[in-house]
Amino acid sequence: MATARSKDRTAVAFEKTGGGPPVILVDGALCYRAWGPSRPLAAELSRRFTVFTYDRRGRGESGDTAPYALDHEIEDIQALVHEAGGSAHVYGISSGAVLALEAAGRGIGIESLVLYEPPFIIDDSRPPFPADYASQLETFLAANRRGDAVRLFMQQVGVPRALVALMRLIPVWRKVTATAHTLPYDAAAMGDTQAGKPLPAERWAGVTAPTLVVVGGNSPTWMHNGTRALVDLLRNARHRVLEGQKHAVKPKVLAPLLVDFFGQAEGAAGDRAPAHGADLRP
């Protein structure tokens, strides 16, 4: 493990594997290096790239400095880009995809971007998150009811109640409740993009890096609608349906797509401008 220092001096724990152009992986809610999809994906990508996995602030071995601000999480990614030599490709999943998207609009050296299922709710194809979702989380956490905060999150993202009840009886519950206090951080990244309203056209106007927005072929309609809406907003983006996959995407299926897209971004400038709004299927 190594440590980078963010702008506010918070320690950001990371590890680096492989060799080649740098790629930074950004986790979604509750996940960190020791639990979640990043290490298996890094193992697949490290044959071609130098892969940075890290613990988002407040998780794993990274520090956490109050008060929280979304800008600080973007500065954490900027610190990793600095460790990578000043530029990097970035992959983000779920709320981590939204965080990566925010970072790409800040001019911090993100060369290209792959976003897997940013969980935008833009219409009535599923119920929106409650307007007081973030405040409910804060209330539970202030009372040290970490399990209740996790259950609220899982209820909103569609985890079956029976599965949540089962998780409480196995060791994984300890892992997810350990990072429950960071759920408001993900809520801050999402903002009002889960309210059943169109995406804010101006929010990501500064994102110019080549971007691939990916959705699983077996994922629900609302997820497909949200990812397509994002592609329509970005200047230099295309859409990909990864057949047979859901939100818990398999690293061995996802990795070749990342290798191809990031590899193209390493090529000549003329190869780095995908057609806006193109829809690619395997």
Side-chain angles (χ1 to χ4, degrees):
M1 184 200 78
T3 302
R5 289 285 173 180
S6 195
K7 186 176 180 179
D8 69 350
R9 307 305 300 163
T10 298
V12 180
F14 73 94
E15 54 192 44
K16 183 170 64 170
T17 57
V23 173
I24 297 169
L25 308 183
V26 186
D27 276 320
L30 300 175
C31 297
Y32 53 106
R33 285 178 302 138
W35 187 75
S38 284
R39 272 185 176 159
L41 181 58
E44 296 293 327
L45 295 175
S46 61
R47 301 183 183 97
R48 174 76 179 272
F49 300 100
T50 300
V51 186
F52 290 75
T53 55
Y54 76 106
D55 294 335
R56 286 176 54 185
R57 64 173 52 209
R59 309 180 191 188
E61 297 179 274
S62 286
D64 199 8
T65 304
Y68 174 82
L70 182 59
D71 282 348
H72 294 325
E73 283 224 74
I74 293 169
E75 290 161 2
D76 297 347
I77 296 175
Q78 185 174 18
L80 293 171
V81 171
H82 176 76
E83 293 287 337
S87 64
H89 308 287
V90 174
Y91 165 79
I93 182 170
S94 197
S95 57
V98 184
L99 176 58
L101 184 62
E102 291 288 331
R106 304 294 181 94
I108 65 171
I110 293 178
E111 293 292 317
S112 70
L113 193 61
V114 177
L115 309 174
Y116 190 83
E117 295 202 346
F120 299 133
I121 304 172
I122 63 160
D123 53 29
D124 60 0
S125 53
R126 67 145 282 173
F129 273 39
D132 64 345
Y133 168 70
S135 63
Q136 287 187 61
L137 287 176
E138 296 286 4
T139 298
F140 285 142
L141 294 169
N144 200 30
R145 295 166 59 186
R146 303 173 74 87
D148 288 334
V150 171
R151 278 192 292 273
L152 174 64
F153 166 74
M154 291 187 172
Q155 174 188 349
Q156 294 303 318
V157 299
V159 179
R161 290 180 181 272
L163 180 56
V164 176
L166 176 63
M167 289 177 66
R168 295 184 63 190
L169 305 176
I170 58 179
V172 70
W173 189 250
R174 184 174 298 176
K175 290 183 180 291
V176 296
T177 55
T179 55
H181 61 286
T182 65
L183 285 171
Y185 303 177
D186 295 281
M190 297 307 303
D192 63 355
T193 62
Q194 295 180 305
K197 303 182 295 185
L199 294 175
E202 71 287 348
R203 180 170 171 180
W204 303 294
V207 178
T208 59
T211 301
L212 184 64
V213 183
V214 189
V215 64
N218 292 347
S219 290
T221 297
W222 68 269
M223 193 74 80
H224 285 255
N225 294 349
T227 55
R228 290 183 186 279
L230 177 62
V231 169
D232 288 343
L233 288 183
L234 299 178
R235 299 183 188 180
N236 192 9
R238 56 185 175 182
H239 193 258
R240 176 71 178 261
V241 178
L242 201 53
E243 299 293 356
Q245 297 302 300
K246 295 183 178 180
H247 199 60
V249 60
K250 294 179 180 178
K252 286 184 179 296
V253 177
L254 177 65
L257 184 151
L258 270 62
V259 168
D260 181 64
F261 188 76
F262 291 147
Q264 289 183 40
E266 284 293 311
D271 296 328
R272 297 173 61 180
H276 178 78
D279 189 0
L280 303 181
R281 292 175 182 258

